[in-house]
Every structure is written in structure tokens, then in C-alpha cells.
Amino acid sequence: LVYGVQWDAVMRWLSRGTAEEQGWLTDSAGKGNYSGTLNETTGSDDNYQMKHIYDLAGNVFEWTMEARNNNNRVCRGGDYNSKIYETFCSIRYDDSPAHFDTVLGFRLAMYIK
């Protein structure tokens, strides 16, 4: 799983980019799989990527290794089923690791030497 600090690093990286890239942090509407715009195959539409990172906004909330407290872990991103989270990909919310839902998933981290 991705560490919260890795997600934050991507958010900082986007914040130093072009105006369009910076916009993903505050308004990612139309840049992900959200309710009413569901694309059945994630990662296949270049409209849903920024700097070759696909489905950063929308699709599913992604579990991270970040802990909010002893009982909860942090999810990042946004999910396909809720218009509430359609406004930004830098959202952070916490839940119990025992919780499961169709709007929760994970992103693997790849380390390159």
C-alpha cells in the first residue's frame, strides 16, 4: 500500500506543476470515474490521468498505510459513487481497517532504483 507521505508527495509535486495540474488538488471534477460518468475500465482513459498517474481522483478511495489513530487508517482520493468527493483528489478521511465497501481499494507503490 501507498504511505500517506507518498500521497502527500504526489500532491506537492502536482502543486508545483502547471495550472491544470494544480487544479487537480482543488477541483478534480471530470478527471475521474464519478457517479454519472463511470468508465467501466479504469486506467484506460487519458482524461483521467495526470503525469501518467491514473485514477488519482474518483474510481475508489484508496487505503494508505497512514494511521489517524490506533483504530483507524486513512483513505485518500475519491470514489465513483459520491458527488460529495468530486471536488478534489487531495481529500483524506479515516475508517476502520475492518471496513469494506465497493468504493474502497488500494494502489500499489512501485520503488524504482
Side-chain angles (χ1 to χ4, degrees):
L1 297 178
V2 173
Y3 284 93
V5 69
Q6 291 170 310
W7 194 284
D8 291 337
V10 170
M11 297 298 106
R12 282 191 306 276
W13 182 50
L14 291 174
S15 74
R16 292 190 303 260
T18 66
E20 180 186 8
E21 292 161 355
Q22 292 173 16
W24 276 56
L25 304 177
T26 56
D27 183 6
S28 59
K31 298 178 178 80
N33 288 324
Y34 292 110
S35 183
T37 64
L38 186 61
N39 178 0
E40 292 181 11
T41 307
T42 63
S44 65
D45 190 330
D46 284 342
N47 292 320
Y48 299 161
Q49 64 89 21
M50 181 58 63
K51 294 187 175 184
H52 304 289
I53 303 172
Y54 285 81
D55 299 320
L56 192 60
N59 196 30
V60 295
F61 277 110
E62 297 176 18
W63 287 109
T64 68
M65 296 292 291
E66 184 178 353
R68 177 74 74 191
N69 54 43
N70 288 339
N71 299 318
N72 289 356
R73 295 297 178 259
V74 174
C75 296
R76 304 293 291 268
D79 74 77
Y80 70 87
N81 198 35
S82 179
K83 291 276 188 186
I84 294 171
Y85 300 114
E86 189 172 306
T87 55
F88 53 99
C89 65
S90 57
I91 191 166
R92 172 187 268 126
Y93 96 95
D94 61 278
D95 211 332
S96 165
H99 180 79
F100 62 93
D101 198 326
T102 60
V103 298
L104 293 172
F106 61 92
R107 181 181 300 265
L108 299 175
M110 182 172 78
Y111 296 93
I112 301 174
K113 290 185 177 184

